[in-house]
Amino acid sequence: DMYLANRRPSDAIAPLIEARAALESGEGTDPELPTVLDSLAGAYQDNAQHDLAITTFEQSVEVATKALGELHPVTLNNSSNLGNYLTIVGRYGEAAERLAWALERMKRVLPADHWNLAIVNHMYGLVLGNLGRYDEAMAHHEAALAVEAVVYRDTPSSTIFPLLAVIDTELRMESDAALARVVHVKGLVGSLTGQGHTVVVACPPE
């Protein structure tokens, strides 16, 4: 998945469990606990321990909401991570609810051109596409692309992988716009390969 962080080895789990236990041993809720729980959930995710990952992501959101408030950046980050992982494991309905919750609150507290809005709009667009809600999916992808046009104006090749998600949705909609988008992506890929990079992208025939 385009939004997954670098995979953590299985030996990352034990230290995170120890850190969690240490933070939970004190009085009250340590403000670092939600971040440790999110990292632990990510480690479970990276090692295909799906049930533990989901449970721990859920705990990270619950603890963050109570300790930091629902509009805190950590709460919103953990919530979007949970939504993304629910998408990965195919629990699309739950993922849509979680991502909608996070996105609505991010819009309240972040600047309109913040890159997190692009990421979560794309996440939400992907899950809506998997639910067959293509028009809604495209609206969120387009919102993300508008942010990326600002964030990546000096490095347009950074939009290649997000654009592939948009193309996927357009192809499912049988939209004529998909072909023009494919041509655009091919141009971006060409600019990278011209700089000595290797990029592998599967595009439908023109």
Side-chain angles (χ1 to χ4, degrees):
D1 185 275
M2 75 178 86
Y3 300 114
L4 288 183
N6 292 331
R7 293 177 62 84
R8 282 150 286 208
S10 58
D11 58 10
I13 293 175
L16 287 167
I17 291 175
E18 292 177 5
R20 172 184 182 169
L23 292 172
E24 290 177 334
S25 64
E27 295 183 5
T29 301
D30 191 295
E32 294 299 318
L33 180 58
T35 300
V36 170
L37 287 170
D38 184 73
S39 296
L40 177 58
Y44 286 138
Q45 168 185 326
D46 291 343
N47 288 277
Q49 298 183 47
H50 304 303
D51 291 340
L52 281 171
I54 291 172
T55 299
T56 310
F57 273 129
E58 290 173 340
Q59 291 172 344
S60 78
V61 176
E62 180 181 354
V63 172
T65 302
K66 290 180 179 178
L68 304 172
E70 66 176 32
L71 297 181
H72 193 278
V74 170
T75 306
L76 299 177
N77 175 74
N78 292 6
S79 184
S80 61
N81 285 345
L82 170 59
N84 187 45
Y85 190 56
L86 288 168
T87 303
I88 292 170
V89 298
R91 292 166 59 170
Y92 301 131
E94 296 170 77
E97 291 180 8
R98 177 53 57 187
L99 291 170
W101 186 93
L103 183 59
E104 189 275 328
R105 285 156 180 80
M106 284 183 175
K107 288 178 180 178
R108 291 193 222 167
V109 298
L110 295 178
D113 60 353
H114 196 282
W115 67 275
N116 269 345
L117 289 174
I119 291 174
V120 178
N121 266 302
H122 273 312
M123 288 182 183
Y124 193 30
L126 286 168
V127 74
L128 290 173
N130 283 318
L131 289 169
R133 294 159 58 181
Y134 300 126
D135 289 339
E136 294 174 76
M138 278 305 305
H140 286 282
H141 285 313
E142 293 291 356
L145 291 176
V147 175
E148 288 162 353
V150 176
V151 174
Y152 299 124
R153 59 183 176 271
D154 297 324
T155 56
S157 59
S158 299
T159 64
I160 288 175
F161 291 105
L163 281 168
L164 294 179
V166 182
I167 291 170
D168 176 71
T169 301
E170 288 175 333
L171 289 173
R172 295 187 192 196
M173 297 173 69
E174 299 182 358
S175 169
D176 293 338
L179 179 57
R181 196 94 67 179
V182 168
V183 172
H184 176 60
V185 169
K186 284 184 174 180
L188 294 175
V189 171
S191 71
L192 283 181
T193 54
Q195 298 169 25
H197 298 280
T198 299
V199 181
V200 178
V201 178
C203 293
E206 297 181 18

